[in-house]
Amino acid sequence: MSNPPAVENFCAFFNKLDKTCTEKLYEVYTEEVVFNDPLHHIEGRKALERYFAAMYENVERCCFTYHTQQQQGNQAFVTWTMEFVHPRLAHGKPVSVEGCSALTFAEDGRVSQHRDYFDAGAMLYEHLPVMGRVIRWLKQRLG
């Protein structure tokens, strides 16, 4: 069974996204897009463009493996594993993070609302020198 074109376009775009093509967000997002993740709340495509440009500034590699993709009407849900390499995180080794995206599409098939769910500690905090040790210690104590 094939996935709806809007979901396919979204997934394909993110696997091409890097610091050189953030200006092409208009292909996937509406002008008034609202984006949320555990670390940010962003309104508007220009603000989202600045966010992605800053985020990808030092990322050496980032790719997504998509798992479940479901769409009903203008709502979609995509689960994924993101693997990225950043020289200041995990000593420059690949970091993998599981997550999902809840999407709302406008009439033209572009995303008008995008909410990402993922463990911010697994993505960022656990890989920082001092904070990482503290978070890993806490997880061991609570687990």
Side-chain angles (χ1 to χ4, degrees):
M1 184 171 146
S2 68
N3 294 308
V7 175
E8 295 252 345
N9 290 342
F10 172 83
C11 293
F13 182 80
F14 265 84
N15 267 336
K16 295 184 291 187
L17 187 62
D18 63 20
K19 63 184 170 190
T20 66
C21 68
T22 55
E23 70 275 0
K24 294 186 180 182
L25 290 178
Y26 69 89
E27 295 175 2
V28 177
Y29 291 103
T30 63
E31 185 69 34
E32 309 79 27
V33 65
V34 175
F35 174 90
N36 290 285
D37 69 16
L39 306 169
H40 299 90
H41 172 85
I42 297 166
E43 294 185 19
R45 193 174 58 226
K46 288 292 184 191
L48 187 60
E49 184 179 316
R50 288 188 298 273
Y51 167 66
F52 282 138
M55 185 172 63
Y56 279 87
E57 180 71 29
N58 295 310
V59 169
E60 294 174 0
R61 181 174 58 82
C62 183
C63 64
F64 290 83
T65 301
Y66 296 100
H67 309 293
T68 305
Q69 301 174 23
Q70 295 183 349
Q71 184 172 352
Q72 183 173 3
N74 69 338
Q75 302 287 312
F77 182 78
V78 179
T79 61
W80 42 261
T81 302
M82 176 178 64
E83 183 176 283
F84 69 97
V85 175
H86 190 289
R88 287 186 256 159
L89 296 175
H91 305 290
K93 295 178 184 161
V95 175
S96 289
V97 179
E98 302 271 332
C100 62
S101 298
L103 307 167
T104 302
F105 293 98
E107 292 286 324
D108 64 4
R110 293 184 298 160
V111 176
S112 61
Q113 293 182 356
H114 177 170
R115 179 178 290 271
D116 279 346
Y117 298 92
F118 58 84
D119 180 348
M123 178 183 190
L124 178 65
Y125 306 129
E126 291 177 22
H127 304 287
L128 297 173
V130 174
M131 189 177 277
R133 284 192 293 276
V134 172
I135 290 174
R136 287 189 298 276
W137 178 81
L138 283 172
K139 280 186 164 183
Q140 288 174 347
R141 301 275 300 165
L142 296 173

